[in-house]
Amino acid sequence: MVFHKAPAFRRICAAALCLWGAAAAQAGSFSIGNFTQVKLEYQYTDYFNYAYPSPILFEYPGHEYRQPLPYIADFPENRVLGRVSQGLGINDVLQVKYQYSQLDEATNQELFNAKYTRNVTDNTEAHVSGQVTRGTGGFLGRMIEAGGKVDFAGFTLADVSYGYYYNTVDSLPGSSDAHSLELKLRQSVSRSTALQVKYGYYFVDGDQGDFFSNTLTFWVSQYLPTKTAVHAEWRENWNGMQYRAWSPSLEVDQYLSWGTILTLRGRYYRGLPKDPVQLETITGDYFESWSLSGLLSHRLFAETTVMVKYRYYWSDEDIEMNTYLLALEHIL
């Protein structure tokens, strides 16, 4: 099944362009502690090749079956994002964000997020945020997150955050409570080399059963005399359903001029499910995916930056897609 939603595409594009024009028409200068930054972003995904799995055939024909749409979170057909960051003095920033994602005419999702950040000391930062997500099928998710960061002049960075989630779905009985914990430590080993390790834990206590997931990421960054930054990453994931995955990636940031940066990124992913239900949804006993992307960021003026991104994704499950992104950041 391939999606073509030209009318919806045109409507969302028109709305995004109107918002960008309104933001760009405002003139202003950046002032430390008293600024307003607006970010507007539009993303479109073209499903070059995507077929749903074969429908399940029930023994009794009276049952209605609706194939789930698994890519609403990561690969919506249309996504519009608006974000405003407001400085409240030298040490405080309030940020509000709205995002609308659409996979097809009947499947969409809205996200509302607010975040408050405060510089406690010269090298210590604390933040708290809240989020509400509404989706097709009566999904309602609420989240609150709090954390902090310690930065020793860029040489040592420690970051910790905790999140709590409460989700309900109209079509399912009960609810679920989820908790997340993320720890990150970055260390510069020289003037041009940095190492980072990050650990994430996610736990769901739901009426449909418990679930936990772990993610461990290793990252190394090297700056080259050619004004190039190279970032190599290795990520491991394992959860309570005997699922394991690993994913290496490589990113290259090339500084083309004082206001232009080109970012190229490649990623490989392999998932190894053991659960019989999961194995029935794929071909073979594992699945693979690849993605290549390029991002061009250009500062038009001191207050205005535009970004253009392209990503190509394909997997061994007969899925291919192109993703296009256009973004604008402007300081009022």
Side-chain angles (χ1 to χ4, degrees):
M1 179 178 180
V2 179
F3 299 112
H4 297 286
K5 299 292 181 296
F9 171 78
R10 286 195 294 267
R11 289 196 301 269
I12 296 177
C13 274
L17 288 173
C18 288
L19 289 171
W20 291 341
Q26 301 292 327
S29 60
F30 177 75
S31 176
I32 299 297
N34 183 22
F35 69 93
T36 303
Q37 184 186 56
V38 178
K39 180 176 183 179
L40 298 167
E41 187 175 285
Y42 173 70
Q43 176 181 296
Y44 173 70
T45 298
D46 175 18
Y47 292 90
F48 181 69
N49 181 27
Y50 174 34
Y52 288 140
S54 300
I56 298 175
L57 301 178
F58 290 98
E59 182 177 354
Y60 301 100
H63 289 271
E64 180 182 358
Y65 175 74
R66 181 178 180 183
Q67 181 69 40
L69 308 178
Y71 296 106
I72 181 62
D74 297 325
F75 301 107
E77 187 178 79
N78 294 288
R79 181 175 68 82
V80 176
L81 179 144
R83 188 186 71 193
V84 178
S85 301
Q86 178 64 54
L88 306 173
I90 297 177
N91 295 315
D92 304 274
V93 177
L94 177 63
Q95 182 184 98
V96 292
K97 180 174 67 175
Y98 171 77
Q99 177 176 285
Y100 175 80
S101 302
Q102 180 189 57
L103 183 60
D104 59 18
E105 293 291 350
T107 309
N108 57 72
Q109 186 180 86
E110 289 184 290
L111 182 148
F112 307 85
N113 181 280
K115 181 178 181 181
Y116 171 71
T117 304
R118 178 171 178 80
N119 293 324
V120 181
T121 66
D122 290 341
N123 60 359
T124 306
E125 175 186 293
H127 71 267
V128 60
S129 62
Q131 180 172 296
V132 175
T133 305
R134 299 187 306 190
T136 303
F139 173 81
L140 180 61
R142 285 142 289 191
M143 180 272 288
I144 184 169
E145 182 184 271
K149 179 171 66 175
V150 180
D151 187 351
F152 298 99
F155 292 100
T156 302
L157 173 67
D159 198 336
V160 59
S161 64
Y162 165 79
Y164 171 75
Y165 308 79
Y166 179 74
N167 301 325
T168 58
V169 181
D170 288 347
S171 59
L172 296 176
S175 61
S176 64
D177 295 81
H179 309 265
S180 68
L181 177 66
E182 185 173 287
L183 305 171
K184 180 172 68 177
L185 179 64
R186 182 185 301 174
Q187 177 65 52
S188 296
V189 295
S190 72
R191 296 181 61 183
S192 60
T193 307
L195 303 176
Q196 176 178 289
V197 60
K198 183 170 67 174
Y199 171 73
Y201 177 74
Y202 183 75
F203 174 75
V204 178
D205 180 14
D207 296 335
Q208 308 298 319
D210 297 340
F211 172 80
F212 71 87
S213 175
N214 300 270
T215 303
L216 184 62
T217 305
F218 298 95
W219 178 89
V220 58
S221 176
Q222 178 67 49
Y223 182 77
L224 305 176
T226 56
K227 297 183 178 179
T228 307
V230 179
H231 313 288
E233 182 180 280
W234 179 274
R235 185 176 63 184
E236 295 269 356
N237 177 265
W238 65 99
N239 62 37
M241 299 182 66
Q242 297 182 311
Y243 176 85
R244 296 192 66 92
W246 48 272
S247 175
S249 65
L250 182 67
E251 179 179 301
V252 178
D253 298 317
Q254 180 63 55
Y255 298 87
L256 303 178
S257 69
W258 71 271
T260 306
I261 300 175
L262 176 64
T263 300
L264 302 175
R265 179 178 173 85
R267 185 194 67 106
Y268 170 76
Y269 181 91
R270 171 175 283 204
L272 304 171
K274 297 296 183 181
D275 183 74
V277 176
Q278 293 181 341
L279 286 171
E280 289 179 357
T281 64
I282 64 173
T283 302
D285 55 0
Y286 68 91
F287 66 91
E288 299 174 301
S289 69
W290 300 261
S291 67
L292 297 172
S293 65
L295 170 66
L296 184 65
S297 174
H298 179 64
R299 187 178 293 275
L300 289 176
F301 312 104
E303 303 92 351
T304 307
T305 302
V306 294
M307 288 158 281
V308 179
K309 181 179 179 180
Y310 168 76
R311 178 181 63 183
Y312 176 58
Y313 172 97
W314 74 101
S315 79
D316 61 348
E317 299 300 310
D318 294 326
I319 300 175
E320 292 182 67
M321 60 186 72
N322 303 293
T323 299
Y324 313 89
L325 182 142
L326 179 63
L328 178 145
E329 288 187 354
H330 184 70
I331 299 175
L332 305 176

